[in-house]
Amino acid sequence: MANRFEKIARKSVLNIKPYVPGKPIEEVQRELGLKNVIKLASNENPLGPSKLAAKAARASIAGVNLYPEGSAYKLRNVLAEQLKVKPENLIFGNGSNELLNLIALAFVETGDEVIYSALSFVAYPIAVEGAGGTTVLIPHKQFRHDMEGFTKGLSLKTKLVFLCNPNNPTGAIITKKEVEAFLTKVPANVLVVLDEAYFEFVGDAEYPDGLTYIEKYPNVIVLRTFSKIYGLAGLRIGYGVAHQDIIEIVERVRPPFNTSIPAQAAALAALGDKAHLKKTVKTNNEGKKFLYAGFEKLGIKYVKTQGNFIFVEFKTNGKGVFEALLKRGVIIRPMYDNFGRITVGTMKENKKLIKALEFLD
Ligand SMILES: Cc1ncc(COP(=O)(O)O)c(C=O)c1O
């Protein structure tokens, strides 16, 4: 039966395809009666959170009868110092995903166009259409952002551009040269969001640091998160860095207590645990190499990644592979046709995945 409230819902909301998250471990255990299940579906940190961050979150619980400090004062100041920006250049979100929505809510009006790449982060259309904007998709070029296509896609109606760097789900980067050439062509009244959720994993010299642009280009917003390398996805905290004038406008639509006390405490402690970051990068690099070799042996094609996930092309339908792997206690992310995305796990998890794939072969 049709939903009776569709008649009164905003038209733009009816177009939205709801976000489908990675299948939770508990759900697979319940549905398939399995004990040992691993999740390589949501690009989380397989090593867990930093021990210092977990300790700080636990200690903060005693104070959760009070609302959090909405400005995240301590975290803001420490992070500003680390990033070499001013505290006024920062905004915190309930994950960087919330900031995508808030930016769209603050700037996008009905009729405005928002440009992003095909085969990119699925939360972009939700943010744009939720705000009543129109999405303009630029076809990808061999799984990479086509920056010439982006330039051609700019119109008088363009309000916002999302550049996902490295791109989820393909793991490809947009190079410094490409980003810089594009920024010179974007009018000053068009915002460019550089979504750098996987920034800390990248080891390519051609990769740009978005923060180096915010002085020269006041229309640039850099988004980063504590969900990925910092291992705090379940606490929900991310941040944006931009010119104070942009931050001031997005702040107007930010819910007052959008980042929790434990999330702020954990994020602050995580910033002081560089050893955890280093170990995570090392685990990821070793895992990538191991998985590449495993995929090659099995004839599974893949795109070389700069993130903590790999975009693969199976020999058969991705959904079928996903279902078969579930039965063997491995959750991946199926995509369209024969494609899928697999998060790099611990070595034990990577071995379990390859074994399960060998079994299917
Ligand atoms: C490219 C990209 N941006 C943003 C996010 C949002 O992450 P969070 O809201 O956990 O900070 C994700 C999460 O998967 C992502 O892949």
Side-chain angles (χ1 to χ4, degrees):
M1 200 175 78
N3 182 330
R4 72 193 75 183
F5 291 105
E6 282 193 349
K7 281 201 206 87
I8 62 163
R10 285 170 50 214
K11 295 278 171 297
S12 57
V13 170
L14 297 179
N15 291 333
I16 294 176
K17 279 199 213 112
Y19 181 83
V20 183
K23 209 169 165 64
I25 288 178
E26 287 79 7
E27 197 175 297
V28 178
Q29 286 172 326
R30 232 177 11 246
E31 288 174 1
L32 297 176
L34 294 173
K35 246 197 187 150
N36 298 318
V37 178
I38 60 165
K39 183 179 174 208
L40 303 174
S42 301
N43 309 340
E44 293 137 333
N45 186 330
L47 300 181
S50 132
K51 291 214 168 45
L52 297 181
K55 194 174 159 202
R58 275 196 301 273
S60 77
I61 293 294
V64 298
N65 55 314
L66 301 180
Y67 284 106
E69 191 165 351
S71 71
Y73 180 83
K74 274 194 214 153
L75 174 62
R76 174 182 297 273
N77 282 286
V78 172
L79 183 61
E81 206 176 303
Q82 279 203 7
L83 299 177
K84 299 190 175 63
V85 298
K86 290 191 277 233
E88 309 85 84
N89 294 128
L90 291 172
I91 184 167
F92 292 91
N94 194 267
S96 54
N97 203 141
E98 185 188 39
L99 294 173
L100 294 170
N101 291 333
L102 296 183
I103 291 164
L105 186 62
F107 288 102
V108 175
E109 292 197 81
T110 306
D112 285 349
E113 292 178 354
V114 180
I115 307 182
Y116 60 93
S117 180
L119 201 54
S120 191
F121 188 37
V122 284
Y124 300 152
I126 298 176
V128 176
E129 285 164 5
T134 304
T135 56
V136 176
L137 265 88
I138 309 299
H140 63 86
K141 228 177 178 176
Q142 304 278 352
F143 307 112
R144 296 191 66 233
H145 279 49
D146 172 11
M147 294 315 296
E148 278 173 32
F150 270 72
T151 305
K152 287 189 194 129
L154 289 167
S155 82
L156 290 174
K157 290 187 184 160
T158 308
K159 177 63 70 69
L160 187 62
V161 179
F162 288 120
L163 297 180
C164 194
N165 201 19
N167 185 47
N168 175 10
T170 64
I173 59 160
I174 314 164
T175 64
K176 212 180 224 176
K177 224 168 126 186
E178 288 172 322
V179 171
E180 286 171 11
F182 180 65
L183 288 177
T184 61
K185 288 171 197 143
V186 177
N189 60 354
V190 173
L191 300 180
V192 179
V193 172
L194 294 172
D195 183 348
E196 299 182 343
Y198 304 93
F199 173 84
E200 300 85 352
F201 288 103
V202 183
D204 189 321
E206 303 290 309
Y207 179 65
D209 174 346
L211 297 185
T212 57
Y213 303 127
I214 63 166
E215 284 258 338
K216 187 167 173 192
Y217 298 101
N219 55 332
V220 166
I221 308 174
V222 176
L223 295 184
R224 295 198 187 152
T225 182
F226 287 95
S227 297
K228 305 299 177 182
I229 195 132
Y230 290 98
L232 300 178
L235 279 177
R236 312 304 302 126
I237 185 160
Y239 60 93
V241 195
H243 191 282
Q244 193 179 343
D245 290 350
I246 291 186
I247 299 292
E248 227 170 63
I249 290 175
V250 185
E251 278 289 352
R252 294 179 199 207
V253 290
R254 181 180 66 77
F257 308 112
N258 63 329
T259 58
S260 71
I261 288 176
Q264 290 183 25
L268 179 62
L271 288 177
D273 192 352
K274 297 295 173 217
H276 184 252
L277 293 198
K278 229 170 139 184
K279 193 169 168 198
T280 304
V281 171
K282 187 165 177 268
T283 303
N284 191 57
N285 287 340
E286 288 167 0
K288 266 168 39 173
K289 255 194 226 151
F290 176 83
L291 290 177
Y292 289 164
F295 295 152
E296 277 161 30
K297 236 184 182 169
L298 291 164
I300 296 169
K301 289 191 205 146
Y302 62 91
V303 178
K304 278 207 164 165
T305 185
Q306 290 296 329
N308 65 342
F309 51 88
I310 306 175
F311 189 72
V312 295
E313 185 178 5
F314 298 112
K315 285 181 275 185
T316 54
N317 185 274
K319 291 225 167 51
V321 176
F322 163 74
E323 297 288 344
L325 286 175
L326 276 188
K327 294 194 184 111
R328 307 194 68 78
V330 181
I331 312 170
I332 62 156
R333 184 70 74 107
M335 314 266 324
Y336 64 102
D337 300 341
N338 288 6
F339 295 98
R341 192 195 66 200
I342 299 175
T343 305
V344 179
T346 60
M347 202 44 95
K348 193 171 162 207
E349 290 173 332
N350 298 332
K351 283 182 180 159
K352 178 166 173 148
L353 166 79
I354 295 293
K355 248 205 189 130
L357 285 168
E358 277 167 1
F359 183 85
L360 304 184
D361 206 33

